[in-house]
Structure formats: C-alpha cells, structure tokens
Amino acid sequence: MRTLTRMAAALAASAVAITLAACSDTSSASGDAASSGSGDAGSSDLSFTVADSVDLTGSDTYDAAKSAGTLRVGVKEDQPGLGYLDAITGERTGFDVDIARWIAAELGFSEDQIEFQTIPSANREQALVNGDIDYYVGTYSITDKRKEQIGFAGPYFITGQGLLVAADNTDITSEDDLAGKTVCSATGSTPLQNIQENFPDTKTVPFDTYSQCVDALKDGSVDAVTTDQAILIGYAAQEPDALKVVGEPFTEEKYGVGVPKDDAALRHFINKVFTDGGDTWQKVFDADLGSSGITVQQPAVDDYE
C-alpha cells in the first residue's frame, strides 16, 4: 500500500517543476529572506538552503520520499508560535513547523515538495506505523512507551509545565506563589491534574482548550494558565505586551521528532542535523519564540542505537 501511494505521489509530482535552492550540504536560516514555498508549506520569514547532495544510506523512508518527490510531514495546527495554521491564508507557522522545514531542506527537499499533514496527538504513532507520514514534529514528548512503536530523533527542545500570567502581574513568579490563586488548564490534562494533586491551596478552572484559558486570563477571570512552557511561550510571543511566562518549568518534557521505528538511518541523520546546526536552531527559536522574552538553550540529542 505504501509503494502504491508513493507511486501515485511520484506521478503527480512529475507534473510540477521543482527548483532547488543554493547547492549546499548544510542548511542556513536567514531572518531577512522571504519564504519561497507555497502557502501550505510556508512559515515565517525564515529560508533554508536545500542540500543537493545528501548522504543518507539505509533509510527506506528517505528512498521512498526521494522517489516520489514528496516529503510527508505530520504537524499540529492549533498552537501559536509552535504549529499553527492560518485558516484564511493557509500559511503554517511556528517553531515546530520551521524545525520540520529545516530537516526537509537538509534532506534535499524544497518548500514545494513538503506535504504537511495535521495529525492529532492521539493518532501520531499510528500515522508513523502505517507509513502515512515520513516524520512528525509537534510538541511530541519522548517516552519509553512511545519508543515501543516508533523512533525519536532529538530532543530538539526541553520544556515542562510552566505558568503564563498577565504582563503586569507581580504576585506570581513561580509555582511557589500559587496558594490562594486561580489557575486554568485544559480539561483532563496532566498539568491540571498536577495542580489539583500537588497544590491543594490553589483553585483550578478547566476549559476545553488553552485558548479559552488565555482569554480568561486576559479578562481577569483566572490568575494564571498552566501547560507545557513551550506552548505558553507561543502565547506570550503572540501578545508580549499582555502576557508573560514566569518561573522555570516544574516538570520535564523532551520534544522529539517522531520517525518510523525501524529507520535508524533517518533518526541518526536528523540527530546530526541538530548536533551540527546550533546556529540555525537558534535562529529558528529567535524568529518564532524569541519575542516571548524567554532564553533557552538547544539540548544535546540522545542518539541511541
């Protein structure tokens, strides 16, 4: 089934003229360059040099994508600053989206060869197992349980449960200041459960989505919003005059790139991209999340066998 799907994609791709960018084995990001992709594949003002000579042997995923002329990438679309789809323009933006675009360029795929697919969190492993996508980038925490089904490159970002407050709030600087406060998080989420179980003097308000929590924070209905700090940084970057992230993460989540479990070659390749591309990683972070005011460092990868 995967071969048939790839053949169909290859036939469709053959009708499209592909123009590769500058010839280089390493990619670069420029905050001054305009994105050259289509509306679906485009992102911020970052541009990545597409490699014209890729040394990747033993990856069935890469071989199939190269044959088809299309790279299928799973992402999210509802997280500002990380993975967001503008319903009007069709433009995808965010840190995770740009990480995905950077990897694609290093694999030798231009913007118009990327096929982004929105995959819900609950369906990520199955999409990789089924061969529906080639890799996934979208606040995907590395866990031993998930490694039973798929592989992970990275981590490319380490975060944890954090706190978002109003920009003029001086009462809450960390989780130590939550006693007597009202905190919002998503219904049934791990961050909400953590507050309820470990912060008994803190009132919690659940909503279906984090955007509803942010609206409640802005109208003064709650004192703080809590979830992964990376997600909160995205909201703060979107409205830096109204919102800010305070304190340090008080749990730990390591975000990785999900790949097919048996494709160690692809996993090692992506890990090398991260290890050798510190300057590019920093440019991506600065472009997408830098306005939040948070300073972070790129983590070392876990290039397991």
Side-chain angles (χ1 to χ4, degrees), residues 247-266:
E248 298 295 330
F250 46 100
T251 64
E252 183 176 82
E253 301 290 339
K254 296 180 178 180
Y255 290 167
V257 178
V259 300
K261 183 178 181 179
D262 59 355
D263 201 332
L266 177 61

Side-chain angles (χ1 to χ4, degrees), residues 6 9 13 16-21 27 35-44 46-51 65-66 68-76 85 90-94 96-118 132-137:
R6 284 298 193 185
V16 181
I18 304 297
T19 303
L20 297 180
S27 72
S35 172
S36 60
S38 65
D40 182 58
S43 189
S44 62
L46 290 172
S47 180
F48 301 93
T49 301
V50 179
K66 198 67 177 177
T70 303
L71 191 67
R72 301 165 304 168
V73 182
V75 291
K76 290 187 175 179
L85 174 63
E91 183 182 19
R92 291 185 184 270
T93 57
D96 285 342
V97 172
D98 281 332
I99 291 291
R101 293 171 60 238
W102 174 25
I103 294 169
E106 291 284 5
L107 287 168
F109 289 85
S110 58
E111 292 278 350
D112 52 5
Q113 291 178 291
I114 304 172
E115 178 187 302
F116 283 114
Q117 297 183 26
T118 300
D132 298 331
I133 55 175
D134 299 315
Y135 59 87
Y136 188 98
V137 190

Side-chain angles (χ1 to χ4, degrees), residues 178-260:
L178 294 182
K181 306 299 184 183
T182 301
V183 177
C184 186
S185 194
T187 303
S189 68
T190 300
L192 182 67
Q193 293 171 8
N194 183 35
I195 297 296
Q196 292 171 336
E197 294 172 3
N198 299 305
F199 297 82
D201 297 327
T202 302
K203 180 181 178 182
T204 57
V205 174
F207 279 113
D208 290 337
T209 66
Y210 289 114
S211 59
Q212 290 174 296
C213 283
V214 173
D215 288 340
L217 175 61
K218 290 191 294 185
D219 69 23
S221 301
V222 301
D223 300 305
V225 177
T226 187
T227 185
D228 287 358
Q229 191 183 70
I231 297 172
L232 300 178
I233 288 174
Y235 284 111
Q238 194 177 43
E239 298 185 75
D241 294 334
L243 306 169
K244 66 180 180 182
V245 175
V246 295
E248 298 295 330
F250 46 100
T251 64
E252 183 176 82
E253 301 290 339
K254 296 180 178 180
Y255 290 167
V257 178
V259 300

Side-chain angles (χ1 to χ4, degrees), residues 229-300:
Q229 191 183 70
I231 297 172
L232 300 178
I233 288 174
Y235 284 111
Q238 194 177 43
E239 298 185 75
D241 294 334
L243 306 169
K244 66 180 180 182
V245 175
V246 295
E248 298 295 330
F250 46 100
T251 64
E252 183 176 82
E253 301 290 339
K254 296 180 178 180
Y255 290 167
V257 178
V259 300
K261 183 178 181 179
D262 59 355
D263 201 332
L266 177 61
R267 177 163 50 80
H268 292 318
F269 181 92
I270 296 173
N271 278 335
K272 190 174 189 303
V273 169
F274 291 152
T275 300
D276 295 345
D279 290 343
T280 300
W281 183 96
Q282 191 63 53
K283 288 177 181 177
V284 172
F285 178 84
D286 290 344
D288 291 312
L289 297 173
S291 61
S292 68
I294 294 294
T295 300
V296 300
Q297 291 185 336
Q298 178 187 6

